[in-house]
Amino acid sequence: MLDITLFGSVFVTLFVIMDPPGITPIFLALTSGRATKVQRRMAWQAASVAFGVITVFGLFGHQILDYLNVSVPALRIAGGLLLLLIALDLLTGKMDEPTQTKDVNVALVPLGMPLLAGPGAIVTVILAVQNAHGFGQQASVWLAIAAMHVVLWLVMRYSLAIIRLIKEGGVVLVTRLSGMLLSAIAVQQVANGVLGFVHGEG
């Protein structure tokens, strides 16, 4: 039997952390100028990469972090610094001229990780899987994870229609605003990591 309450709890938590509505302007900014077919492929790649990363950490998260001797705060700071570099590129316009190589990179980094499969989502999944007992609870957790990534894919896939409405000038505006938003997210992740070190989190 599925645990509907657990499913809802995990899904809502991941929804808040991964923030599908908030990812929309960043996705549009990072994929602007690409062909529609490429953008759709990137939406699928980003969601797939995020799901793959989340799945690996859900299954082997503690073992991976322990083996590498990496703490959760360190993971948060690293993710924040990587996002900050991307945010600076968006703010300065360095990502306005896409290349075929960049098409692939954007789907993998920063969209797939660490924007979607970021430290917050990874830690949430590790704890949810660890605390789920029995087949029903495990199935509920993994079903919530899968459902969240389907939502992410749908949001990115159908957000492309927005580009047709806002035109080139709107895309530039969205790119700059996305850079500001992403830089704030990055700084918050770094701050959370520093606080984690101060409080002695593992």
Side-chain angles (χ1 to χ4, degrees), residues 78-151:
L81 292 176
L82 180 56
L83 287 181
L84 186 59
L85 291 175
I86 302 299
L88 292 175
D89 281 346
L90 288 174
L91 285 170
T92 57
K94 291 182 179 179
M95 300 192 77
D96 287 347
E97 297 297 330
T99 63
Q100 189 64 31
T101 302
K102 190 170 290 186
D103 285 345
V104 178
N105 287 342
V106 167
L108 302 179
V109 178
L111 282 174
M113 182 179 182
L115 200 51
L116 296 179
I122 288 173
V123 172
T124 297
V125 168
I126 289 175
L127 294 177
V129 172
Q130 181 182 12
N131 295 329
H133 304 291
F135 175 79
Q137 289 192 347
Q138 285 286 339
S140 300
V141 169
W142 286 106
L143 187 60
I145 293 170
M148 183 68 253
H149 285 82
V150 171
V151 170

Side-chain angles (χ1 to χ4, degrees), residues 109-201:
V109 178
L111 282 174
M113 182 179 182
L115 200 51
L116 296 179
I122 288 173
V123 172
T124 297
V125 168
I126 289 175
L127 294 177
V129 172
Q130 181 182 12
N131 295 329
H133 304 291
F135 175 79
Q137 289 192 347
Q138 285 286 339
S140 300
V141 169
W142 286 106
L143 187 60
I145 293 170
M148 183 68 253
H149 285 82
V150 171
V151 170
L152 286 168
W153 170 68
L154 290 173
V155 168
M156 291 186 291
R157 166 69 171 76
Y158 290 101
S159 68
L160 299 176
I162 299 175
I163 292 181
R164 303 188 190 100
L165 298 176
I166 62 177
K167 306 300 182 183
E168 184 176 348
V171 169
V172 174
L173 177 62
V174 167
T175 300
R176 299 301 181 265
L177 291 175
S178 299
M180 293 180 61
L181 175 64
L182 198 57
S183 63
I185 294 173
V187 171
Q188 186 62 57
Q189 283 199 14
V190 172
N192 290 341
V194 172
L195 288 175
F197 276 123
V198 172
H199 295 148
E201 294 180 10

